[in-house]
Amino acid sequence: MMSAPVELRNVSANSGKTSTNASYDNTVVIPPMPDYGGRILAYTSTSLVIVTGVFQGIFAQWLLWLVAVAMVWPHIAHLLTRRTFLKNSSRIRQKMLLLDCAMGGALIGAMGLVAIPTTAIILMLMFSCLIVGGVRQWLFGTALTGASLSATIAALGTADNLQAPLLTSVIAVLATGVYICVTAYYSHVQARALLYAKTQIQNQREQSIALSHKLSKYLSPQVWQSIFTGERDVRLETQRKKLAVFFSDIKGFTELSEEMEPEALTELLNHYFNEMSQVALRYGGTIDKFVGDSIMVFFGDPTSRGQREDAFACVSMAIDMRKHMKIMRQKWRSQGIKTPLEIRMGISTGYTTVGNFGAENRMDYTIIGKEVNLASRLESLAEAGEILISYETFSLIKDRIMCRDKGEITVKGFGKPVPIYEVVDFRRDMGPNRSFLEHEHSGFAMYLDSDKITERERKAILTALEDAADRLRQEDDTE
């Protein structure tokens, strides 16, 4: 007749599974008032009312037999629900409480509907129904109590006097008050435990989210998202997919590493990787790895916009990287790095094996296949600032990007020579209507993309260019 036990176990963020880590596996068992103890308290209270009523002559003597039944029934109910097949029955607690309602209605009818004892027993029954099963249980309990009460009244009739003596009324009110207070106390304890558990779970959820974001730094955002949303299982599995594969490295990096201190070189390299990563992510690329000064990116997994769009996004990223290097070179020059750094890039498109490789306790999400080798070979053959692509990549992007035929090369794993092409630029940016201008000399460098300039920046740039032009004219006049 009491509230249900509640067990809350902390769940790892987004996993839907119980955490096995000792630092996170905090089970909070919220103590209810046991059914056994609650039923004993309720039936003992009812027995006191009956005994007092019989003693004062308001109830018939034979009702004392019901006292014996009331004192034995809680033990029988406990044995039935814990020691027999009924323990596996669904919603057994709610069903047993409905049986209590039926018995309570019959008892009230046997008492002849004496006002205060009847009210006391009904209050205990309805209070228990609301706590255990909510409004639905209360409705069913009310219906059963009413039906049982009506049947008993029809058979036995009501008492001659519906007013109970003072002592019987006091005992009924006190017994009901004790039952409700004890039940309310356990409900209060349960509510506090729920609040504490909610706070714990919220804190651990925030810790899990923070940890997952830290771990995301070691994975490409697309891969991290697919894992933490449950779209992809963390297990050793691979599949064949047609991907666009990109490789790049810094031309002249070896010479630069001999000139610079390790700390300054590390800072420069991290800045380069950070800038290039932002470009790659802007175009939807999956960053596979950084090796030395090389970057490996692929398009088409775990999300794809179609082979043509994946290839176009990959080449567009490479063009944007090449342009962005001009801006970065100016920043490096201002920091005293005189060696001009250029990147060279290679792109191929074709079927590769993509997925988790490694061991069960340490795996890497990457791709393998001859197209990967081809992209790497194209990158090593490219000149500074050059983007070389395979024929299949060229066939997918040639309508939007201008390319130049570079002949054929022999690559291990390919039976025939492989035609390759050099990426020139977007067709929309060719000719007199192009949105960008670039010019570079010793002591002067300019990269202008008018589509990306705001009105306020436009005025500042015009002022700077006019000042520079005036300065050059003054120097010419002096000479």
mmCIF file of all heavy atoms in Angstrom, residues 87-116:
data_model
loop_
_atom_site.group_PDB
_atom_site.id
_atom_site.type_symbol
_atom_site.label_atom_id
_atom_site.label_comp_id
_atom_site.label_asym_id
_atom_site.label_seq_id
_atom_site.Cartn_x
_atom_site.Cartn_y
_atom_site.Cartn_z
ATOM 1 N N LYS A 87 5.374 -13.097 -7.978
ATOM 2 C CA LYS A 87 6.436 -12.087 -7.903
ATOM 3 C C LYS A 87 6.912 -11.651 -9.285
ATOM 4 O O LYS A 87 7.489 -10.571 -9.432
ATOM 5 C CB LYS A 87 7.618 -12.622 -7.094
ATOM 6 C CG LYS A 87 8.332 -13.810 -7.730
ATOM 7 C CD LYS A 87 9.458 -14.296 -6.856
ATOM 8 C CE LYS A 87 10.185 -15.480 -7.487
ATOM 9 N NZ LYS A 87 11.279 -15.973 -6.618
ATOM 10 N N ASN A 88 6.678 -12.500 -10.296
ATOM 11 C CA ASN A 88 7.085 -12.151 -11.664
ATOM 12 C C ASN A 88 5.968 -11.475 -12.459
ATOM 13 O O ASN A 88 6.157 -11.133 -13.617
ATOM 14 C CB ASN A 88 7.538 -13.410 -12.405
ATOM 15 C CG ASN A 88 8.769 -14.030 -11.767
ATOM 16 O OD1 ASN A 88 9.663 -13.327 -11.326
ATOM 17 N ND2 ASN A 88 8.808 -15.359 -11.710
ATOM 18 N N SER A 89 4.814 -11.309 -11.823
ATOM 19 C CA SER A 89 3.688 -10.695 -12.512
ATOM 20 C C SER A 89 3.931 -9.197 -12.687
ATOM 21 O O SER A 89 4.481 -8.531 -11.802
ATOM 22 C CB SER A 89 2.400 -10.929 -11.720
ATOM 23 O OG SER A 89 1.316 -10.260 -12.313
ATOM 24 N N SER A 90 3.539 -8.673 -13.827
ATOM 25 C CA SER A 90 3.710 -7.240 -14.074
ATOM 26 C C SER A 90 2.743 -6.433 -13.205
ATOM 27 O O SER A 90 1.602 -6.819 -12.995
ATOM 28 C CB SER A 90 3.463 -6.920 -15.549
ATOM 29 O OG SER A 90 2.131 -7.230 -15.910
ATOM 30 N N ARG A 91 3.230 -5.319 -12.670
ATOM 31 C CA ARG A 91 2.432 -4.393 -11.855
ATOM 32 C C ARG A 91 1.742 -5.105 -10.686
ATOM 33 O O ARG A 91 0.596 -4.814 -10.350
ATOM 34 C CB ARG A 91 1.397 -3.686 -12.729
ATOM 35 C CG ARG A 91 2.003 -2.902 -13.876
ATOM 36 C CD ARG A 91 0.930 -2.312 -14.769
ATOM 37 N NE ARG A 91 0.139 -1.316 -14.074
ATOM 38 C CZ ARG A 91 0.478 -0.036 -13.950
ATOM 39 N NH1 ARG A 91 1.597 0.395 -14.484
ATOM 40 N NH2 ARG A 91 -0.297 0.808 -13.307
ATOM 41 N N ILE A 92 2.470 -6.050 -10.062
ATOM 42 C CA ILE A 92 1.864 -6.831 -8.980
ATOM 43 C C ILE A 92 1.506 -5.934 -7.797
ATOM 44 O O ILE A 92 0.505 -6.163 -7.110
ATOM 45 C CB ILE A 92 2.816 -7.974 -8.537
ATOM 46 C CG1 ILE A 92 2.164 -8.850 -7.458
ATOM 47 C CG2 ILE A 92 4.133 -7.428 -8.062
ATOM 48 C CD1 ILE A 92 0.899 -9.539 -7.912
ATOM 49 N N ARG A 93 2.285 -4.894 -7.546
ATOM 50 C CA ARG A 93 2.009 -4.014 -6.414
ATOM 51 C C ARG A 93 0.672 -3.294 -6.599
ATOM 52 O O ARG A 93 -0.123 -3.174 -5.668
ATOM 53 C CB ARG A 93 3.129 -2.990 -6.264
ATOM 54 C CG ARG A 93 4.483 -3.597 -6.021
ATOM 55 C CD ARG A 93 5.559 -2.551 -5.815
ATOM 56 N NE ARG A 93 5.363 -1.829 -4.584
ATOM 57 C CZ ARG A 93 4.886 -0.590 -4.504
ATOM 58 N NH1 ARG A 93 4.553 0.045 -5.613
ATOM 59 N NH2 ARG A 93 4.725 0.014 -3.347
ATOM 60 N N GLN A 94 0.461 -2.800 -7.843
ATOM 61 C CA GLN A 94 -0.795 -2.112 -8.114
ATOM 62 C C GLN A 94 -1.983 -3.066 -8.002
ATOM 63 O O GLN A 94 -3.052 -2.692 -7.492
ATOM 64 C CB GLN A 94 -0.752 -1.472 -9.499
ATOM 65 C CG GLN A 94 0.138 -0.247 -9.597
ATOM 66 C CD GLN A 94 1.597 -0.584 -9.827
ATOM 67 O OE1 GLN A 94 1.975 -1.755 -9.731
ATOM 68 N NE2 GLN A 94 2.407 0.418 -10.123
ATOM 69 N N LYS A 95 -1.819 -4.282 -8.446
ATOM 70 C CA LYS A 95 -2.912 -5.267 -8.384
ATOM 71 C C LYS A 95 -3.243 -5.634 -6.938
ATOM 72 O O LYS A 95 -4.417 -5.768 -6.576
ATOM 73 C CB LYS A 95 -2.529 -6.510 -9.179
ATOM 74 C CG LYS A 95 -2.399 -6.257 -10.683
ATOM 75 C CD LYS A 95 -1.893 -7.485 -11.408
ATOM 76 C CE LYS A 95 -1.721 -7.197 -12.899
ATOM 77 N NZ LYS A 95 -1.132 -8.350 -13.639
ATOM 78 N N MET A 96 -2.218 -5.795 -6.112
ATOM 79 C CA MET A 96 -2.461 -6.114 -4.707
ATOM 80 C C MET A 96 -3.147 -4.953 -3.998
ATOM 81 O O MET A 96 -4.001 -5.150 -3.120
ATOM 82 C CB MET A 96 -1.137 -6.460 -4.019
ATOM 83 C CG MET A 96 -0.493 -7.751 -4.509
ATOM 84 S SD MET A 96 -1.529 -9.216 -4.277
ATOM 85 C CE MET A 96 -1.558 -9.335 -2.488
ATOM 86 N N LEU A 97 -2.796 -3.726 -4.386
ATOM 87 C CA LEU A 97 -3.446 -2.565 -3.778
ATOM 88 C C LEU A 97 -4.916 -2.500 -4.174
ATOM 89 O O LEU A 97 -5.778 -2.110 -3.372
ATOM 90 C CB LEU A 97 -2.712 -1.288 -4.180
ATOM 91 C CG LEU A 97 -3.245 0.015 -3.565
ATOM 92 C CD1 LEU A 97 -3.290 -0.074 -2.041
ATOM 93 C CD2 LEU A 97 -2.388 1.198 -3.997
ATOM 94 N N LEU A 98 -5.239 -2.886 -5.407
ATOM 95 C CA LEU A 98 -6.644 -2.927 -5.807
ATOM 96 C C LEU A 98 -7.410 -3.964 -4.997
ATOM 97 O O LEU A 98 -8.585 -3.765 -4.654
ATOM 98 C CB LEU A 98 -6.737 -3.237 -7.311
ATOM 99 C CG LEU A 98 -6.245 -2.125 -8.258
ATOM 100 C CD1 LEU A 98 -6.328 -2.599 -9.712
ATOM 101 C CD2 LEU A 98 -7.064 -0.847 -8.066
ATOM 102 N N LEU A 99 -6.747 -5.081 -4.680
ATOM 103 C CA LEU A 99 -7.378 -6.081 -3.812
ATOM 104 C C LEU A 99 -7.614 -5.501 -2.418
ATOM 105 O O LEU A 99 -8.666 -5.752 -1.794
ATOM 106 C CB LEU A 99 -6.482 -7.326 -3.739
ATOM 107 C CG LEU A 99 -7.018 -8.511 -2.909
ATOM 108 C CD1 LEU A 99 -8.381 -8.971 -3.426
ATOM 109 C CD2 LEU A 99 -6.020 -9.661 -2.943
ATOM 110 N N ASP A 100 -6.652 -4.695 -1.929
ATOM 111 C CA ASP A 100 -6.844 -4.017 -0.642
ATOM 112 C C ASP A 100 -8.051 -3.086 -0.695
ATOM 113 O O ASP A 100 -8.811 -2.973 0.279
ATOM 114 C CB ASP A 100 -5.593 -3.206 -0.287
ATOM 115 C CG ASP A 100 -4.410 -4.084 0.082
ATOM 116 O OD1 ASP A 100 -4.644 -5.164 0.645
ATOM 117 O OD2 ASP A 100 -3.257 -3.688 -0.211
ATOM 118 N N CYS A 101 -8.234 -2.392 -1.831
ATOM 119 C CA CYS A 101 -9.381 -1.495 -1.983
ATOM 120 C C CYS A 101 -10.700 -2.269 -1.918
ATOM 121 O O CYS A 101 -11.676 -1.815 -1.297
ATOM 122 C CB CYS A 101 -9.285 -0.734 -3.307
ATOM 123 S SG CYS A 101 -7.977 0.508 -3.339
ATOM 124 N N ALA A 102 -10.728 -3.418 -2.589
ATOM 125 C CA ALA A 102 -11.940 -4.242 -2.562
ATOM 126 C C ALA A 102 -12.234 -4.714 -1.138
ATOM 127 O O ALA A 102 -13.390 -4.670 -0.668
ATOM 128 C CB ALA A 102 -11.786 -5.424 -3.504
ATOM 129 N N MET A 103 -11.193 -5.162 -0.430
ATOM 130 C CA MET A 103 -11.380 -5.616 0.948
ATOM 131 C C MET A 103 -11.778 -4.446 1.845
ATOM 132 O O MET A 103 -12.626 -4.585 2.747
ATOM 133 C CB MET A 103 -10.086 -6.259 1.457
ATOM 134 C CG MET A 103 -9.716 -7.552 0.740
ATOM 135 S SD MET A 103 -8.102 -8.192 1.225
ATOM 136 C CE MET A 103 -8.343 -8.496 2.975
ATOM 137 N N GLY A 104 -11.165 -3.259 1.617
ATOM 138 C CA GLY A 104 -11.511 -2.093 2.420
ATOM 139 C C GLY A 104 -12.950 -1.676 2.224
ATOM 140 O O GLY A 104 -13.642 -1.304 3.186
ATOM 141 N N GLY A 105 -13.440 -1.722 0.966
ATOM 142 C CA GLY A 105 -14.835 -1.381 0.716
ATOM 143 C C GLY A 105 -15.782 -2.333 1.430
ATOM 144 O O GLY A 105 -16.799 -1.907 2.006
ATOM 145 N N ALA A 106 -15.444 -3.637 1.398
ATOM 146 C CA ALA A 106 -16.284 -4.621 2.097
ATOM 147 C C ALA A 106 -16.277 -4.367 3.601
ATOM 148 O O ALA A 106 -17.313 -4.485 4.284
ATOM 149 C CB ALA A 106 -15.787 -6.025 1.782
ATOM 150 N N LEU A 107 -15.115 -4.013 4.154
ATOM 151 C CA LEU A 107 -15.014 -3.746 5.587
ATOM 152 C C LEU A 107 -15.848 -2.525 5.991
ATOM 153 O O LEU A 107 -16.547 -2.530 7.014
ATOM 154 C CB LEU A 107 -13.547 -3.534 5.964
ATOM 155 C CG LEU A 107 -13.255 -3.221 7.433
ATOM 156 C CD1 LEU A 107 -13.746 -4.359 8.320
ATOM 157 C CD2 LEU A 107 -11.763 -2.988 7.639
ATOM 158 N N ILE A 108 -15.790 -1.474 5.158
ATOM 159 C CA ILE A 108 -16.584 -0.277 5.444
ATOM 160 C C ILE A 108 -18.074 -0.617 5.432
ATOM 161 O O ILE A 108 -18.858 -0.160 6.281
ATOM 162 C CB ILE A 108 -16.269 0.824 4.410
ATOM 163 C CG1 ILE A 108 -14.825 1.317 4.575
ATOM 164 C CG2 ILE A 108 -17.232 2.004 4.555
ATOM 165 C CD1 ILE A 108 -14.354 2.226 3.465
ATOM 166 N N GLY A 109 -18.462 -1.430 4.452
ATOM 167 C CA GLY A 109 -19.867 -1.848 4.410
ATOM 168 C C GLY A 109 -20.261 -2.658 5.622
ATOM 169 O O GLY A 109 -21.366 -2.502 6.179
ATOM 170 N N ALA A 110 -19.338 -3.542 6.079
ATOM 171 C CA ALA A 110 -19.634 -4.348 7.268
ATOM 172 C C ALA A 110 -19.742 -3.470 8.512
ATOM 173 O O ALA A 110 -20.459 -3.818 9.466
ATOM 174 C CB ALA A 110 -18.543 -5.400 7.466
ATOM 175 N N MET A 111 -19.027 -2.329 8.523
ATOM 176 C CA MET A 111 -19.096 -1.404 9.652
ATOM 177 C C MET A 111 -20.354 -0.539 9.599
ATOM 178 O O MET A 111 -20.612 0.263 10.499
ATOM 179 C CB MET A 111 -17.847 -0.506 9.665
ATOM 180 C CG MET A 111 -16.569 -1.277 9.990
ATOM 181 S SD MET A 111 -15.050 -0.360 9.564
ATOM 182 C CE MET A 111 -15.242 1.101 10.530
ATOM 183 N N GLY A 112 -21.127 -0.655 8.522
ATOM 184 C CA GLY A 112 -22.405 0.040 8.452
ATOM 185 C C GLY A 112 -22.310 1.495 8.044
ATOM 186 O O GLY A 112 -23.217 2.276 8.333
ATOM 187 N N LEU A 113 -21.202 1.902 7.409
ATOM 188 C CA LEU A 113 -21.027 3.273 6.915
ATOM 189 C C LEU A 113 -21.017 4.308 8.035
ATOM 190 O O LEU A 113 -21.476 5.435 7.863
ATOM 191 C CB LEU A 113 -22.123 3.648 5.900
ATOM 192 C CG LEU A 113 -21.860 3.300 4.442
ATOM 193 C CD1 LEU A 113 -23.025 3.759 3.575
ATOM 194 C CD2 LEU A 113 -20.577 3.949 3.940
ATOM 195 N N VAL A 114 -20.496 3.922 9.188
ATOM 196 C CA VAL A 114 -20.355 4.897 10.277
ATOM 197 C C VAL A 114 -19.387 5.969 9.808
ATOM 198 O O VAL A 114 -18.288 5.674 9.328
ATOM 199 C CB VAL A 114 -19.862 4.214 11.560
ATOM 200 C CG1 VAL A 114 -19.651 5.247 12.662
ATOM 201 C CG2 VAL A 114 -20.881 3.162 11.996
ATOM 202 N N ALA A 115 -19.762 7.231 9.970
ATOM 203 C CA ALA A 115 -19.146 8.342 9.229
ATOM 204 C C ALA A 115 -17.640 8.453 9.391
ATOM 205 O O ALA A 115 -16.877 8.331 8.423
ATOM 206 C CB ALA A 115 -19.823 9.645 9.642
ATOM 207 N N ILE A 116 -17.136 8.718 10.603
ATOM 208 C CA ILE A 116 -15.712 9.029 10.767
ATOM 209 C C ILE A 116 -14.826 7.813 10.510
ATOM 210 O O ILE A 116 -13.810 7.929 9.801
ATOM 211 C CB ILE A 116 -15.465 9.645 12.163
ATOM 212 C CG1 ILE A 116 -16.142 11.023 12.236
ATOM 213 C CG2 ILE A 116 -13.962 9.769 12.440
ATOM 214 C CD1 ILE A 116 -15.956 11.741 13.543
#
